[in-house]
Every structure is written in structure tokens, then in C-alpha cells.
Amino acid sequence: RKHFFGLQIEDQPDVNVSGEEIDKCSHSVEGEMYSFFGDTGYRYKNKYRSLMFNLKDPRNKVRHLD
């Protein structure tokens, strides 16, 4: 199964990306977050939780990975 931040990509029929692309994107996002916050403290974790919540929200119809 392909996952991106906990989302099962296979459950999204309109998303056609490889596992390698998913890994690259998730590492890029986490790297940028670390660069921005400078550590994995409270603000980093809070932002991560917020992103996860928004990505998993079924009302969120815009899930672009391009």
C-alpha cells in the first residue's frame, strides 16, 4: 500500500503517483518543516498535526500531490 502522511493513496482513484514520489514528497515536506522550525518541538508537532487533520478530512476535496 502507498501512504502519504497516513493517507492510503490507493483509496484515491484519481491519484496516480508512485511510492517513490510519495516518499520524496513526504521527506521534502518534513525537511522544510524542520528547516522552518529548527527542531521537532511543540510548534513543529502542532503544525504536523494540523497538516494531518486537513489531509485526512473527507470534506477536503483538494488533495493535489503535483
Side-chain angles (χ1 to χ4, degrees), residues 18-37:
S18 70
E20 188 175 299
E21 290 172 305
I22 292 169
D23 285 344
K24 183 179 174 182
C25 185
S26 62
H27 286 121
S28 176
V29 169
E30 288 193 33
E32 289 297 322
M33 285 177 50
Y34 187 83
S35 292
F36 183 79
F37 293 112

Side-chain angles (χ1 to χ4, degrees), residues 14-62:
D14 58 334
V15 176
N16 185 22
V17 293
S18 70
E20 188 175 299
E21 290 172 305
I22 292 169
D23 285 344
K24 183 179 174 182
C25 185
S26 62
H27 286 121
S28 176
V29 169
E30 288 193 33
E32 289 297 322
M33 285 177 50
Y34 187 83
S35 292
F36 183 79
F37 293 112
D39 61 17
T40 57
Y42 174 77
R43 294 183 321 140
Y44 176 98
K45 291 175 184 174
N46 206 29
K47 182 63 174 180
Y48 182 86
R49 285 186 202 106
S50 176
L51 288 171
M52 291 300 298
F53 176 79
N54 289 323
L55 286 170
K56 290 181 177 184
D57 186 350
R59 296 172 296 183
N60 180 5
K61 299 299 180 191
V62 181

